[in-house]
Amino acid sequence: MKINKIEGTVSLRRSLDQGTEVQRKAVLNVIEHVKEAGDNALFTYTEKWDGAKLSTLKVSKAEIEQAYQDISPQIIPIIHEAAENIRNFHQKQVKQSWLSTKQDGTILGQQVTALDAVGVYVPGGKAAYPSSVLMNVIPAQVAGVERIAMVSPPASDGSLPTGVLVAADILGVEEIYKVGGAQAIAALAYGTETIKAVDKIVGPGNIFVALAKKEVYGMVDIDSIAGPSEIVVLADDTAKANEIAADLLSQAEHDERASSVLVTTSELLAEAVKVEVEKQLVDLPRESIARAALEEYGAIYITSSMKEALHVVNELAPEHLEVMTAEPMNLLPYIKHAGAIFLGRYSSEPIGDYFAGPNHVLPTNGTARFSSGLSVDEFIKKSSIVMYSEQALIDSVDKIAAFARLEGLEAHARAVESRFK
Amino acid sequence: MKINKIEGTVSLRRSLDQGTEVQRKAVLNVIEHVKEAGDNALFTYTEKWDGAKLSTLKVSKAEIEQAYQDISPQIIPIIHEAAENIRNFHQKQVKQSWLSTKQDGTILGQQVTALDAVGVYVPGGKAAYPSSVLMNVIPAQVAGVERIAMVSPPASDGSLPTGVLVAADILGVEEIYKVGGAQAIAALAYGTETIKAVDKIVGPGNIFVALAKKEVYGMVDIDSIAGPSEIVVLADDTAKANEIAADLLSQAEHDERASSVLVTTSELLAEAVKVEVEKQLVDLPRESIARAALEEYGAIYITSSMKEALHVVNELAPEHLEVMTAEPMNLLPYIKHAGAIFLGRYSSEPIGDYFAGPNHVLPTNGTARFSSGLSVDEFIKKSSIVMYSEQALIDSVDKIAAFARLEGLEAHARAVESRFK
């Protein structure tokens, strides 16, 4: 990892794959085909791209039972406990409807309702994470979404990963379909004979999934399109180099495009972390991925003050921020932009990936400047409520009519005036 | 207007202009040009498309003072009162940060912070509505956004509409720029010499503005892209035909693509509304627009029961819903999808456009199934907070490590384990 002293502003080097025009056209074709041919198109693409010749899309009870046989039994209570932690945290995000009455008898308010149906995309192969199932399904369930349809590309033998099936079953997900890629997104957006259309699609995927989500947005809602994972560690000289190095590596092993950055006021610590990273890299199973990520997107920045360090952190607006300083909680008010903030040395970032409770679906690529992690809020909507009293309308009819006429909308003025004719 | 009896499902005929590939390419060119040439590109496009040869982009204090001279003086206190109502309603949406402590000493929570900078697009010409200024700026201000930059295309004499300038000044908006179209969106997203980049862009615009917003999404956040305005009136035989007709017309006069629909259990009322609409159309200044909208997108549906009527309303998921029944509040729990709900005969929809307090930026085209009107929530973000105690990590380190290894992420496991080495 390179060590840099800060001069002027800093911007995190990040990788964002927007896809090519060729990929976009291919995705548009897939969507059109699924709209026309429904399930048949799904079977065709699944054979073509996943190498699996299926006769049904829906995962059967027998397959779920088999997954429980195949999974390591000690992991099951851990998934249960993680799910409970995640559910407890998200329960705190539940928003209530409210009504407020004014003296003139007017009632104003907001009615909160859940989305009817949500689709959850779970990537296949090595990126098939049971934790993704938990993090995407639980907020929807807590919000009160009645129907959740999960889709995931099968292996060539037609199977889905055991961990994904068990996690989904633990949460009570009843619709799991063996289909992935742009064709799965099209099915969720437009519906087929087997898969009914949903109102929103969430979950990570490859570039074809991302492009398909972008295309169907408007027809259905989508979550944000995530870039590679990122961590920024903010540390002073009280932090331990081996712990910081381990945390930086845990992010770097995700993906060759992942970004791991240390921002510190301590030159000594910077040097020590650099050495530790090399030391710990050596026997890491995913060493080559982590090494590539650190070389391309890793960095160590030394700042002359904690104030400057905080400025750098806010400029970077990282997905994950660890604060390893003497009094981490004291710095919280100065942190403006970060998806998730981990305070103190016992808050190693991976506890947030699986277990602590907050969501691990977080804004990447600096979008923490304007967006938030996945939460219950993304699965509800708010209808505003207006119930004017007669007196309230008497008092305001002339003002409303005048405002409408200022905007040249005579029928608006006449509508409010019609009540007193 | 046509009267239909309901058979099976119903879907609202709506108009959604997605733009053409030619328009999209034109927008991409504009964005590239603004990125390269900055202010110069803005001057060029403003002369080319708005016919205004400008030497500065920013509205001056003298121009604001002139706007106060030109506007009808009695409208000023009305704008003030509307702004106060809107501010009061949005204050109720403010979300607090929270921290929650567990028995093992762990602290979990959410930190709520405002976006740093927001751009507000205000359309020009006849669609330059002062109410749009109020509805887009106030939620951002209530959220705590420090910098608000407004853009609007000038007339050929280089001026902006007086109502827009006065409304902006009343709210204390200090940055107003004379630039519109895709070039304004590009300037807000990427920044120029004069206009600093923002984090989010809101406000309605034509198809070029909509396409530009779609293109810059990801670099900045955007609000949803609105379709034409819609109203559904749900009424029983206690409602007054002339009032319903007036409200349907207030929506229809907006735009030839606006949609006005009555859903009623009363055949008598249906017939009476049809007659009233014709009667009131005759001397409406925007008669031809309203007539075109009603012919193409208007409808009256008669249902055999209120239950069926509610089903139709939820299928339509309208932007605006008026409930004109004997006991409108009793129906509220059965309304699942609507942008704003107006209850009772004194809640004529235009009171929501200007004055009542709730936002008039609402989900169109059936997107009320999954989205909400503009609110304070759109101008904040939530960072999750995790501060694990030593005891909490001791208790869970093995579980977290096991979960990480289930997902094949060894460095994740080692990161949490590193705390006890």
Side-chain angles (χ1 to χ4, degrees):
Chain A
M1 292 180 83
K2 286 147 281 178
I3 299 184
N4 310 282
K5 300 223 175 163
I6 293 292
E7 283 165 40
T9 50
V10 83
S11 80
L12 189 51
R13 183 153 182 213
R14 288 156 157 133
S15 161
L16 183 58
D17 185 358
Q18 300 267 27
T20 64
E21 274 300 306
V22 172
Q23 289 171 323
R24 185 169 161 262
K25 293 249 163 75
V27 162
L28 288 175
N29 281 339
V30 170
I31 294 173
E32 278 311 306
H33 189 197
V34 173
K35 276 166 80 170
E36 282 162 25
D39 283 353
N40 276 339
L42 302 185
F43 287 128
T44 303
Y45 288 122
T46 304
E47 186 169 358
K48 186 172 169 191
W49 287 323
D50 304 307
K53 202 169 160 58
L54 304 177
S55 53
T56 51
L57 293 163
K58 196 172 174 182
V59 169
S60 69
K61 286 203 171 152
E63 287 173 287
I64 301 279
E65 277 158 30
Q66 189 58 48
Y68 276 100
Q69 299 302 315
D70 295 344
I71 203 167
S72 152
Q74 56 268 45
I75 203 74
I76 293 175
I78 299 175
I79 295 176
H80 273 283
E81 190 175 343
E84 198 194 333
N85 289 346
I86 296 164
R87 199 172 295 275
N88 286 343
F89 185 84
H90 287 79
Q91 287 284 2
K92 297 210 163 70
Q93 297 170 335
V94 172
K95 196 172 242 163
Q96 303 297 330
S97 300
W98 56 269
L99 290 175
S100 153
T101 310
K102 294 175 81 168
Q103 285 208 325
D104 60 16
T106 291
I107 297 171
L108 299 177
Q110 263 184 6
Q111 174 155 274
V112 178
T113 48
L115 272 63
D116 284 343
V118 166
V120 176
Y121 190 93
V122 180
K126 286 195 176 170
Y129 296 137
S131 58
S132 283
V133 175
L134 305 183
M135 294 294 183
N136 283 284
V137 169
I138 292 174
Q141 291 181 324
V142 171
V145 174
E146 285 192 6
R147 181 177 159 245
I148 294 174
M150 187 178 292
V151 293
S152 190
S156 57
D157 67 356
S159 69
L160 292 187
T162 55
V164 167
L165 291 181
V166 168
D169 186 69
I170 284 174
L171 299 182
V173 176
E174 286 171 3
E175 289 181 47
I176 311 173
Y177 301 103
K178 297 189 239 181
V179 59
Q183 60 273 24
I185 302 301
L188 289 170
Y190 292 97
T192 68
E193 301 89 323
T194 302
I195 305 177
K196 265 181 71 188
V198 300
D199 299 308
K200 178 162 188 161
I201 304 171
V202 297
N206 64 18
I207 186 66
F208 295 101
V209 171
L211 287 170
K213 282 164 75 178
K214 210 169 168 180
E215 285 304 324
V216 301
Y217 174 60
M219 171 58 87
V220 298
D221 198 15
I222 59 167
D223 59 356
S224 61
I225 293 176
S229 207
E230 313 158 356
I231 191 168
V232 171
V233 178
L234 170 65
D236 63 16
D237 55 12
T238 67
K240 310 249 183 280
N242 68 313
E243 298 174 5
I244 293 174
D247 291 0
L248 293 174
L249 286 171
S250 77
Q251 214 57 214
E253 78 169 339
H254 265 295
D255 187 331
E256 284 163 10
R257 302 181 303 138
S259 167
S260 297
V261 171
L262 169 63
V263 181
T264 181
T265 49
S266 165
E267 236 176 294
L268 266 178
L269 184 75
E271 292 292 348
V273 169
K274 186 178 168 158
V275 172
E276 269 292 335
V277 164
E278 277 303 321
K279 205 170 112 188
Q280 296 183 24
L281 258 172
V282 176
D283 67 338
L284 213 56
R286 294 164 74 106
E287 180 196 347
S288 66
I289 293 174
R291 198 176 283 282
L294 289 173
E295 265 168 31
E296 198 67 18
Y297 302 107
I300 297 175
Y301 294 112
I302 301 171
T303 63
S304 58
S305 68
M306 188 48 75
K307 191 178 162 191
E308 192 189 26
L310 284 161
H311 179 74
V312 171
V313 166
N314 285 323
E315 288 284 307
L316 296 177
E319 180 191 17
H320 304 102
L321 172 67
E322 287 187 359
V323 185
M324 298 227 228
T325 60
E327 298 287 351
M329 189 58 94
N330 291 355
L331 298 182
L332 195 52
Y334 305 101
I335 297 163
K336 290 162 72 180
H337 312 304
I341 305 165
F342 297 83
L343 299 170
R345 64 178 285 227
Y346 296 108
S347 305
S348 175
E349 188 278 329
I351 67 174
D353 289 339
Y354 305 112
F355 205 76
N359 212 287
H360 79 194
V361 180
L362 293 166
T364 54
N365 265 296
T367 60
R369 282 185 297 112
F370 52 73
S371 60
S372 312
L374 195 66
S375 75
V376 173
D377 293 343
E378 276 67 58
F379 298 101
I380 56 135
K381 58 244 162 48
K382 299 148 282 180
S383 305
S384 53
I385 299 164
V386 177
M387 188 165 183
Y388 250 44
S389 65
E390 184 178 8
Q391 189 58 50
L393 194 58
I394 289 171
D395 292 344
S396 59
V397 61
D398 292 343
K399 300 174 206 167
I400 297 170
F403 208 137
R405 290 186 173 112
L406 171 72
E407 296 194 344
L409 296 172
E410 178 65 24
H412 281 60
R414 292 186 191 175
V416 286
E417 288 167 349
S418 73
R419 270 51 181 187
F420 303 111
K421 281 202 171 141
Chain B
M1 292 181 84
K2 288 147 277 180
I3 299 185
N4 311 280
K5 299 219 176 166
I6 293 290
E7 282 164 42
T9 49
V10 85
S11 79
L12 188 52
R13 181 148 182 216
R14 284 155 158 137
S15 161
L16 183 59
D17 185 357
Q18 300 267 27
T20 63
E21 273 300 306
V22 173
Q23 290 172 323
R24 185 170 161 262
K25 293 250 164 74
V27 162
L28 288 175
N29 281 338
V30 170
I31 294 173
E32 278 311 307
H33 188 196
V34 172
K35 276 166 78 170
E36 281 162 26
D39 283 352
N40 276 339
L42 302 184
F43 288 128
T44 304
Y45 288 122
T46 304
E47 184 170 358
K48 186 173 170 190
W49 287 324
D50 303 307
K53 203 167 162 57
L54 304 178
S55 54
T56 53
L57 293 164
K58 195 171 174 184
V59 170
S60 68
K61 286 204 171 154
E63 287 173 287
I64 302 278
E65 276 157 31
Q66 189 58 48
Y68 276 100
Q69 298 303 316
D70 296 344
I71 203 167
S72 149
Q74 57 267 43
I75 203 74
I76 294 175
I78 298 176
I79 295 176
H80 273 283
E81 191 174 343
E84 197 193 334
N85 289 346
I86 297 164
R87 199 173 294 275
N88 285 342
F89 184 85
H90 288 78
Q91 287 284 5
K92 295 207 165 72
Q93 297 170 336
V94 172
K95 196 172 242 163
Q96 303 298 330
S97 300
W98 56 268
L99 290 176
S100 153
T101 309
K102 295 174 80 166
Q103 285 210 325
D104 60 16
T106 290
I107 298 172
L108 299 178
Q110 264 183 5
Q111 175 155 273
V112 178
T113 47
L115 272 63
D116 284 344
V118 166
V120 176
Y121 191 94
V122 180
K126 285 193 177 171
Y129 296 139
S131 58
S132 283
V133 175
L134 304 183
M135 294 295 183
N136 283 284
V137 169
I138 292 174
Q141 291 182 324
V142 171
V145 174
E146 284 192 7
R147 180 177 160 244
I148 294 174
M150 187 178 293
V151 294
S152 190
S156 57
D157 67 356
S159 70
L160 292 187
T162 55
V164 166
L165 291 181
V166 168
D169 187 68
I170 283 174
L171 299 181
V173 176
E174 285 171 3
E175 288 181 48
I176 311 173
Y177 301 103
K178 296 189 238 180
V179 60
Q183 60 274 25
I185 302 301
L188 289 169
Y190 292 97
T192 69
E193 300 89 323
T194 302
I195 304 177
K196 264 182 70 188
V198 300
D199 298 309
K200 178 162 188 161
I201 303 171
V202 298
N206 64 18
I207 186 65
F208 294 100
V209 171
L211 287 171
K213 282 164 75 179
K214 211 170 168 180
E215 284 306 324
V216 301
Y217 175 59
M219 172 57 91
V220 298
D221 197 16
I222 59 167
D223 58 357
S224 60
I225 293 177
S229 207
E230 315 159 354
I231 191 169
V232 171
V233 179
L234 170 66
D236 63 16
D237 56 13
T238 66
K240 310 250 183 280
N242 68 315
E243 297 173 4
I244 293 174
D247 290 0
L248 293 174
L249 286 171
S250 78
Q251 213 58 214
E253 78 168 341
H254 266 295
D255 186 331
E256 283 163 11
R257 302 181 302 140
S259 167
S260 296
V261 170
L262 169 64
V263 180
T264 180
T265 50
S266 165
E267 236 175 295
L268 266 178
L269 182 76
E271 292 292 349
V273 168
K274 186 177 168 158
V275 172
E276 269 291 334
V277 164
E278 277 303 322
K279 207 170 108 186
Q280 295 183 24
L281 258 173
V282 177
D283 68 337
L284 213 56
R286 295 164 73 105
E287 179 194 348
S288 66
I289 293 173
R291 197 177 284 283
L294 290 172
E295 265 168 30
E296 197 68 17
Y297 302 107
I300 297 176
Y301 294 112
I302 301 170
T303 62
S304 57
S305 68
M306 188 49 73
K307 191 180 162 189
E308 191 187 26
L310 284 161
H311 179 74
V312 171
V313 166
N314 285 324
E315 288 284 307
L316 296 176
E319 182 190 17
H320 303 102
L321 172 67
E322 286 187 358
V323 185
M324 298 229 228
T325 59
E327 298 287 350
M329 190 57 94
N330 291 355
L331 298 183
L332 196 52
Y334 305 102
I335 296 163
K336 290 162 71 180
H337 311 304
I341 305 166
F342 297 82
L343 300 169
R345 64 179 285 229
Y346 296 109
S347 305
S348 175
E349 188 278 330
I351 68 174
D353 289 339
Y354 304 113
F355 207 76
N359 211 287
H360 79 193
V361 181
L362 293 165
T364 55
N365 267 294
T367 59
R369 282 186 297 112
F370 53 73
S371 61
S372 312
L374 195 65
S375 74
V376 172
D377 293 342
E378 276 68 57
F379 298 100
I380 57 135
K381 59 245 164 42
K382 299 149 281 181
S383 304
S384 53
I385 299 163
V386 176
M387 188 165 181
Y388 249 42
S389 65
E390 183 177 7
Q391 189 57 51
L393 193 59
I394 289 171
D395 293 343
S396 58
V397 61
D398 292 343
K399 301 174 205 166
I400 297 169
F403 208 137
R405 290 189 171 109
L406 171 72
E407 297 195 344
L409 296 171
E410 178 65 22
H412 281 60
R414 292 187 191 175
V416 287
E417 288 167 350
S418 73
R419 270 50 181 187
F420 304 111
K421 280 201 172 145

